[in-house]
Amino acid sequence: MRLLVTRPDEDAGGTIAALEAMGHEAIASPLLTIHPIADAEIPDEKWQAILITSANGARAAGAHPDFETIKFIPVFTVGTASAEAAREAGFASVTTAQGNVETLTALVVSRLDPSAGPLLHIAGSVIAGDLKGGLEQHGFQVERVTLYEAKVAGHLPEAACEALMSGAVDGVLFYSPRTAATFAALVKSAGLGAALKPVMAYCLSQPVAEALDGLPFRDVRVSEEPGQGALLSLIGN
């Protein structure tokens, strides 16, 4: 199969390699670009733990000038990809919730004590879910620091346009509601909606699928779990 991968370049490499190992052809079509905010200030606090909800957040933390001051603080991540990125960035202690914001909230509540100190949430400029609000309901103090910005593309990547217009796309992979919504807007703007009729959409979660509402995909399939392994299992060999 020929599949569009809509992830940012920083995240797409592993996905493309996995698809090629399965015998598919992957077409890189990033709809977001990641821009670290190097001058963002990380407050000097006695943090109980750090919460990371994306691989890009982990990478941005690792590249931050103050990383050495936080690298030994325990880290809790939303999923496997963010956990791997946190370890690669140099964090010494990483635990993953292997799910979404809700499972991360539950993990933190079960492992940490609100009275033991504040939590640092490393995030991007656009946030999915309300991790801070959910934890504050359980008495935790959470401070969010924005270390990167994810900017949406102004038009569909040329490779994606050419593949859709020529009928050379069998499916599109979507990992976030924002990416899916961006794809929907750009496809409509380019007048390529009809090109999606023979195309499958593979979505990481139900909110991702809902962001594609109105597009005439042949079918929209949703992963049973919010992880890349489960998403790729929808495609098969």
Side-chain angles (χ1 to χ4, degrees):
M1 295 176 68
R2 291 156 295 184
L3 301 161
L4 296 184
V5 178
T6 60
R7 308 188 80 183
D9 287 333
E10 293 82 355
D11 298 318
T15 301
I16 291 172
L19 289 170
E20 290 177 345
M22 295 167 65
H24 302 300
E25 177 184 347
I27 303 171
S29 305
L31 297 181
L32 299 176
T33 55
I34 306 302
H35 300 271
I37 305 174
D39 60 353
E41 181 181 352
I42 297 179
D44 184 15
E45 297 277 356
K46 191 173 182 180
W47 304 109
Q48 178 182 182
I50 295 173
L51 312 178
I52 296 179
T53 46
S54 73
N56 287 308
R59 286 189 282 265
H64 194 276
D66 294 334
F67 177 68
E68 292 298 320
T69 68
I70 63 172
K71 65 184 295 183
F72 293 110
I73 299 173
V75 170
F76 291 82
T77 73
V78 69
T80 302
S82 49
E84 292 175 353
R87 295 186 184 101
E88 290 174 0
F91 282 105
S93 173
V94 180
T95 303
T96 176
Q98 296 183 330
N100 51 30
V101 168
E102 287 72 28
T103 57
L104 178 56
T105 299
L107 176 65
V108 171
V109 169
S110 69
R111 297 283 188 91
L112 304 180
D113 182 349
S115 66
L119 306 175
L120 174 64
H121 177 200
I122 291 175
S125 56
V126 176
I127 300 164
D130 186 12
L131 179 64
K132 176 179 169 68
L135 288 170
E136 287 177 344
Q137 290 181 5
H138 292 275
F140 287 93
Q141 177 187 344
V142 182
E143 183 158 352
R144 182 185 299 131
V145 174
T146 301
L147 291 190
Y148 73 94
E149 182 179 9
K151 296 183 179 180
V152 298
H155 53 79
L156 281 177
E158 183 177 349
C161 283
E162 292 179 354
L164 286 170
M165 287 189 293
S166 65
V169 177
D170 298 301
V172 188
L173 278 67
F174 297 101
Y175 283 74
S176 73
R178 191 180 184 205
T179 299
T182 299
F183 180 86
L186 296 179
V187 162
K188 292 174 183 176
S189 176
L192 291 174
L196 298 177
K197 291 181 179 180
V199 179
M200 300 288 292
Y202 300 99
C203 302
L204 191 67
S205 67
Q206 187 59 39
V208 175
E210 290 170 359
L212 298 173
D213 187 42
L215 293 183
F217 282 106
R218 178 160 65 94
D219 193 14
V220 177
R221 296 183 181 176
V222 179
S223 172
E224 293 184 359
E225 298 177 0
Q228 176 159 283
L231 178 61
L232 296 185
S233 71
L234 294 175
I235 302 169
N237 292 301

